[in-house]
Amino acid sequence: MSILQGLHHSAGNTLNLDFAGRLVAAARSGCGPCQTSLMSKVVQRHRATLAVLAGAVYGLELNAGAQHSLSVSSATRSWSPLARAAAESGDGTAAFAAVVQMDETQAADLLDDALTHWAAAGTGPDVFQLLDLTTDLDPQGSATEWVDGTGPGSIPVGKAGLPSDPDGVPAYAVMLATTHMPDGRPLPMLILECETAGAGPADLRRRTNWQAWDGSQLPEPDVNWRLRVDIATKSLECLVQIDPDGYDVLPRLRDASETVALPEPFWDLLDRAQHVLIAGPVKDGEDQDAFQRAADTGELLAVVARVRFM
C-alpha cells in the first residue's frame, strides 16, 4: 500500500492505508461479505483512500481507454480522464473533488471497478490493464475454438439419456473454449453442457439474467457473476451469482464435482484476461455444430463474468 502515498489523486488529504490494505486483501481472497463491508466504510468515510486506490489503476496510460469501455461503470468512465490528468500534471485537486461529489452508489461502483484490477495484480507494468469488451466477435462464429478440439476438463455425461436432477437442481458441465476479438486478443470461454434432465434454456432463463446470444457480439459484462478458480490446483471451483450484499445466490449454477487441472494455456489466459465469456446451454458440448445451431435458433444465453482466484 505504500505506493498509494506517492499518488496525487487524494490532493494531499490523509490516507487510511490500513483500510486500503484490508480491502485489497478481501478482494484478492474473494471474500464477498468482507469486501462489501469494507467498501461501505471506505465509501462513507475515506474518500481520499478511495481516490488513490482508483487512481493507481485509472491514472495509468495503458488504461486511458477506460472512458470508452463498457466493462466498467459509468462513474468510472466519467472519472478516468481526471485520474489520467492528475497522474500527468501532479495536481489531483479535480480528481479528488469529483470523488467527494459522487453519491455512494457512484463511489462504490468506482471502487468496485478498481478492486477488480487490484485483485488481479501480479508483477510488471501491465497488472492493471483493462480488458476492453466493446468489440465484436467474428459474426460467423469462426473465432471460437474448442480447447484441444474436444474440450478437456469437461465432466463426461451419457448422451443416450441424461440422469435426473440431483436434489431437484439441474446441473451443467463445462467445455473449455477460446474466442478472439477482432484485434486478435484471445478471451477464455466456457460452454455450458446439459448434464441432467432439467438443464436447458428454460432453466437458465429462470435462474439467470443472461442475455440471448447469437454469437455475433460480446454480451454486456455482469459484475454479479463470478467464475471462481483454485490457485493451488489450477482448477475450476464454481460459477456463481453474487447478491447485493456480497453473498452467493444458492444453489450455485455450477459447483465442480471433482478437481480437474486446467490446461496451462487456458489457465494462463484466465490469469491475463480476468474475465470469461460463458455461453450455453447445449446438449452435447463436443458437437461444435450443435453450438452454432443453438446460436442460430436463439437458444443460447451468455454473460461475461469476472474471474476470481481463490
Side-chain angles (χ1 to χ4, degrees), residues 31-40 104-105 108-109 112 209 222-226 228 240-250:
C31 179
C34 306
Q35 183 173 327
T36 299
S37 175
L38 290 166
M39 282 180 61
S40 176
E104 290 191 3
T105 298
D109 285 345
D112 191 52
N209 55 353
D222 190 333
V223 298
N224 297 311
W225 281 93
R226 310 284 172 81
R228 295 197 185 116
V240 63
Q241 185 179 21
I242 306 301
D243 69 19
D245 295 320
Y247 292 93
D248 291 1
V249 175
L250 300 177

Side-chain angles (χ1 to χ4, degrees), residues 24 57 88 101 129 187 190 195 200 236 281 292 295:
V24 170
V57 176
E88 291 175 348
Q101 292 167 7
Q129 186 167 9
L187 183 69
L190 295 182
E195 191 173 22
L236 302 182
Q292 188 59 52

